Amino acid sequence: MQPARDIMEINKPFEIKEKLYMKATVFYFSVSGTTKRFAEIIAEAMSAGGVEARAMSIEAVDEQWVKESRCVILGTPTYFADMAGTAKCFLEKCGSYEMSGKLAGAFATARYVHGGGEAAIQMIQTHFMCYGMLVYSGGSQDGLTIHLGPVAIREQADDYVETFRIYGSRMAKKALELWG
């Protein structure tokens, strides 16, 4: 049996890590680079908000990072008013990443307005709920309304940068509120 002091020393690094360190994963599938760009904007805003976030292609997953993440966001381009098939296949197989109980969000990029971005986000959120995740968007708190998740229209992509920053900031704030 170890003395009480040794047990405290063993547990101390874990306690510090939990208090100071929270991870988030911003997954994306991107063909043209637009969805990747917006995943990186969200991750940067989350990191600025106190959560260590990484943008990560669904084709190159760091499983350990995802398992340690308290928040997972997925972004997809839209095709035929829905998420990309590659993103859907990923969602159907990502249960091994211990998704239950994590904060979840979604975003989309589209070629044009009414191209299905909101529908793609809702489908992602439905998959996340099936995994037992806590879906969050930020709603209309602090001004700008983002009901489901942000959608960027490719031809006016620069016009959406601030919306995606706000979204990333809100996701970080909520993650810290829940587990910080």
Side-chain angles (χ1 to χ4, degrees):
M1 180 180 236
Q2 296 179 349
R5 187 182 62 158
D6 290 341
I7 292 171
M8 287 176 55
E9 288 174 8
I10 291 169
N11 290 333
K12 189 174 180 181
F14 180 76
E15 291 171 6
I16 291 170
K17 183 177 179 182
E18 286 295 306
K19 289 179 183 175
L20 300 177
Y21 198 69
M22 185 178 306
K23 293 180 180 179
T25 302
V26 183
F27 282 122
Y28 64 87
F29 172 70
S30 190
V31 175
S32 69
T34 303
T35 309
K36 177 184 179 183
R37 175 184 177 205
F38 283 99
E40 290 169 346
I41 290 167
I42 292 169
E44 288 170 12
M46 291 186 79
S47 292
V51 173
E52 186 177 358
R54 283 189 193 170
M56 186 180 302
S57 169
I58 62 174
E59 297 169 311
V61 175
D62 179 341
E63 288 189 40
Q64 190 60 38
W65 181 271
V66 178
K67 288 178 181 180
E68 293 172 1
S69 293
R70 295 288 182 115
C71 178
V72 174
I73 298 169
L74 174 61
T76 182
T78 56
Y79 300 114
F80 299 101
D82 201 352
M83 75 175 102
T86 304
K88 186 174 187 312
C89 288
F90 170 77
L91 282 169
E92 291 174 357
K93 298 175 183 175
C94 69
S96 64
Y97 302 139
E98 300 171 9
M99 303 294 253
S100 181
K102 295 181 189 296
L103 183 64
F107 69 96
T109 57
R111 184 171 289 164
Y112 42 83
V113 176
H114 310 299
E118 294 84 4
I121 289 170
Q122 286 180 310
M123 290 307 301
I124 292 168
Q125 291 172 337
T126 298
H127 281 78
F128 282 161
M129 286 187 283
C130 288
Y131 282 118
M133 299 175 79
L134 309 170
V135 174
Y136 182 72
S137 70
S140 59
Q141 73 178 18
D142 304 324
L144 180 68
T145 300
I146 305 173
H147 285 303
L148 300 173
V151 178
I153 307 304
R154 186 172 63 183
E155 299 303 318
Q156 298 97 23
D158 290 340
D159 296 343
Y160 296 93
V161 169
E162 188 59 24
T163 300
F164 278 74
R165 282 190 184 124
I166 290 168
Y167 178 73
S169 175
R170 288 181 184 172
M171 293 300 287
K173 182 178 176 183
K174 182 55 73 175
L176 291 169
E177 182 182 306
L178 292 170
W179 295 290

